[in-house]
Amino acid sequence: MFRGLHAATSGMMAYNRQQQVLTNNLSNAVTPGYKSDTTAFRSFPQQLIEKLGNGNLNGLSGSLAGTMSVGTYAQEAIPNFSQGILKETKNSTDFALQSSFLPLDPATNQKGALVFAVETVNGDIRYTQNGQLQVNQEGFLVTAQGEQVLNSNQQPIRLNSMDFQVDGRGRLTVAGEPGPTLWIGYTSDPKSLVKEGSGLLRYEGEEANSPQLAANAPLINAADTLLMQGFLEQSNVDLSKVMTDMLRTYRGFESNQKVLQAYDQSMQKAVTEIGRV
């Protein structure tokens, strides 16, 4: 009986975690460059059930009856790195990475991802796909949260004029003069990019697949267009799917709750009625 209580409770906790992930997706439906998360459910290790033979309660030599799961849990939220719809803004500080045009990696048969490199206030290097940038009072190109955008030498980009253009390879032209080049990185393993909040990503995979300068990536170093100026990549959240999943998650939580209530009533009956006998 207590195994059933544990299974129902773990189910409620797993659905609650999934609802939190879906709510976060919903709240970021209009965040540029946001990648929706999918919850991965895992089952606790199953227990073997053994049937005692010939009514011998002292022996454990019976045949195997099967396995029994003791519950489930939400292990992690996996980002979906498919590209969102591009929206034209005509703003010179808006940039959209062109990840959807990347070729398949022959080693994994999957597409990689393009990212910008930024430097946090702590001096750490992080990545982002949010191209909604701006120029601060000191003339540095920064994200909406103030992280400095880096050039191909991983140095902050400082603009002396708002009259600038960026070509498809990230090369800047400032007031008609050649300027720095945006650091546009490529990784063949986007699933190892971990969200840190505010659109920032850190890489936790194998070093060989970590984001490298796209110009040095043999698979895409000949690509003409890696980004578009005056465009923004929209969130890839599918609102209709999120709403459907939220309803399904609520029903799953409710079902486990009813099971828990049924166990509670059974235990109460056992204490108040069977105990008298």
Side-chain angles (χ1 to χ4, degrees):
M1 178 177 290
F2 290 104
R3 290 194 184 98
L5 283 172
H6 181 272
T9 303
S10 67
M12 292 174 63
M13 295 175 64
Y15 279 121
N16 181 60
R17 172 56 181 156
Q18 184 181 41
Q19 192 78 340
Q20 293 175 1
V21 171
L22 292 171
T23 302
N24 187 58
N25 287 342
L26 188 62
S27 64
N28 285 281
V30 295
T31 302
Y34 177 80
K35 304 303 179 184
S36 61
D37 290 318
T38 302
T39 308
F41 284 94
R42 296 289 185 270
S43 174
F44 288 110
Q46 294 184 338
Q47 295 183 351
L48 294 177
I49 303 176
E50 193 173 60
K51 181 174 64 176
L52 300 178
N54 301 321
N56 181 11
L57 299 179
N58 296 321
L60 296 176
S61 59
S63 59
L64 183 65
T67 60
M68 179 180 64
S69 176
V70 293
T72 186
Y73 63 100
Q75 184 181 36
E76 57 185 338
I78 302 174
N80 171 20
F81 280 96
S82 63
Q83 182 168 320
I85 297 174
L86 302 188
K87 179 182 179 181
E88 186 175 8
T89 65
K90 297 183 180 180
N91 189 338
S92 62
T93 56
D94 288 342
F95 306 100
L97 294 170
Q98 298 284 74
S99 295
S100 63
F101 295 100
L102 295 177
L104 293 177
D105 189 321
T108 62
N109 200 34
Q110 296 180 351
K111 286 188 177 183
L114 297 174
V115 292
F116 296 112
V118 299
E119 184 177 354
T120 68
V121 293
N122 297 324
D124 299 321
I125 304 298
R126 292 294 183 263
Y127 308 103
T128 184
Q129 291 188 317
N130 186 347
Q132 191 172 36
L133 309 179
Q134 57 190 26
V135 178
N136 65 12
Q137 294 180 348
E138 289 77 28
F140 287 101
L141 191 63
V142 297
T143 66
Q145 286 71 39
E147 293 91 7
Q148 293 183 331
V149 181
L150 303 181
N151 62 20
S152 56
N153 296 320
Q154 293 200 341
Q155 297 297 318
I157 296 176
R158 190 167 190 172
L159 303 173
N160 298 320
S161 171
M162 289 299 295
D163 177 21
F164 66 92
Q165 293 78 39
V166 183
D167 66 11
R169 298 288 296 182
R171 295 176 290 236
L172 281 84
T173 302
V174 184
E177 298 293 330
T181 300
L182 285 169
W183 193 95
I184 302 176
Y186 168 79
T187 175
S188 60
D189 184 24
K191 292 182 179 180
S192 293
L193 292 170
V194 179
K195 292 183 178 181
E196 286 193 343
S198 301
L200 297 182
L201 305 165
R202 72 175 184 274
Y203 184 78
E204 290 191 347
E206 297 180 1
E207 184 65 27
N209 298 324
S210 63
Q212 59 176 308
L213 195 63
N216 298 332
L219 187 65
I220 60 170
N221 61 6
D224 293 328
T225 303
L226 298 178
L227 87 164
M228 295 175 64
Q229 185 180 17
F231 287 80
L232 272 182
E233 179 188 355
Q234 302 301 292
S235 168
N236 67 355
V237 173
D238 186 338
L239 288 176
S240 59
K241 184 177 184 301
V242 170
M243 297 303 294
T244 302
D245 289 344
M246 291 182 76
L247 180 59
R248 178 176 53 82
T249 301
Y250 172 76
R251 295 302 184 192
F253 183 92
E254 189 178 48
S255 298
N256 281 276
Q257 187 180 44
K258 289 181 178 179
V259 171
L260 198 62
Q261 290 173 346
Y263 270 108
D264 182 64
Q265 292 172 1
S266 298
M267 293 176 64
Q268 184 179 9
K269 188 173 183 179
V271 172
T272 58
E273 296 185 16
I274 300 177
R276 295 175 183 176
V277 179

